[in-house]
Every structure is written in C-alpha cells, then in structure tokens.
Amino acid sequence: MKSDWLNLLLRSFDGDLSQNERAELETALQNSPELREEKKSLEAVRGMIASGAVRKFKPFFAARLMQRIQSETAQREDFFESLIWMFRRIALAGALTVILLFASALLTGRAPSLSTLFGMPQVTIEDTLQLDTQLEE
C-alpha cells in the first residue's frame, strides 16, 4: 500500500480532499484490498471514539468541583492547625519540665550539669582521650 494513498485516506475523514484527490482515492480503494481493510479499521476506531465522547457533565459541574476542592483544602488546613496546636502544647510541657529540673537542681544545691538536665552522662577530656587510645589499639 502506498503511503500517499494512506495519507489521502486519513485526510478524507476530515474532508480535506479536492475532487482530483477524491477520485484518486476511490480508484485506489477499488484496486487495493489492503487499503479497504485499513479504511474499515479506521472507521471502527473513529466510531468507538465518537461513541465514547458523548458523555456530558451534569449541570453546575464546575461549581460543584470548585466547592469540593475548597472544602478539601479547608479540611487539610484544619488538620494542620490542630497538629500545630498539639505540638505547641507538647513543646511547652517539655520546656516547663526542663525548667523545673533546672530549678530543682539549683534548690538542692547541686550545680546543674548535662546529666541532671537531660539525663546524659557528662564526658570529660580524659574520657575522650582514653576512648581514642582504645580505638587505635
């Protein structure tokens, strides 16, 4: 099958053929069974596409869609605001706990250290050097 005939066939569906081109296409269709089969398959595909394109949206579709998008956005913002509110309370409680531990360390007469404030052992330079020599061995 010639590519010129296929191009003419494709353009014929859009109605862009001159009289001479239509006559040439008709002659080619009569003489070529492959071109006739191609035309049938293209018509079938166009029919399937046309039957599927008939769907329409219900009235006020755009307004309903925008309203739903706005409500989803509002719900998401409410969720994030509640998370922020909850974590602020947790951060405030943690800060108050650290302040109370620091105050209790001062009231008992002990010097506040990392181990008393955060529960972490205090590391000295000697400990670090000793660890370094152990790693070298």
Side-chain angles (χ1 to χ4, degrees), residues 3 19 48 76 98 136:
S3 64
Q19 288 288 14
M48 287 189 309
R76 193 173 295 150
V98 169
E136 287 178 358

Side-chain angles (χ1 to χ4, degrees), residues 56-69:
K56 293 184 180 179
F57 295 109
K58 293 180 181 178
F60 306 110
F61 172 77
R64 288 194 323 260
L65 179 65
M66 291 306 296
Q67 183 180 11
R68 186 167 180 186
I69 289 172

Side-chain angles (χ1 to χ4, degrees), residues 45-90:
V45 169
R46 287 176 63 93
M48 287 189 309
I49 291 172
S51 67
V54 178
R55 298 180 186 158
K56 293 184 180 179
F57 295 109
K58 293 180 181 178
F60 306 110
F61 172 77
R64 288 194 323 260
L65 179 65
M66 291 306 296
Q67 183 180 11
R68 186 167 180 186
I69 289 172
Q70 289 170 351
S71 70
E72 291 288 329
T73 303
Q75 288 175 358
R76 193 173 295 150
E77 288 173 0
D78 291 341
F79 175 73
F80 287 125
E81 286 176 7
S82 64
L83 278 178
I84 290 170
W85 178 77
M86 181 178 68
F87 284 118
R88 280 185 185 161
R89 292 182 70 186
I90 291 172

Side-chain angles (χ1 to χ4, degrees), residues 13-38:
F13 288 114
D14 296 330
D16 293 343
L17 297 181
S18 66
Q19 288 288 14
N20 292 338
E21 291 172 329
R22 270 195 208 121
E24 184 181 342
L25 179 62
E26 288 301 321
T27 305
L29 284 169
Q30 289 174 358
N31 296 333
S32 173
E34 293 176 13
L35 190 60
R36 285 194 298 269
E37 285 298 317
E38 186 68 26

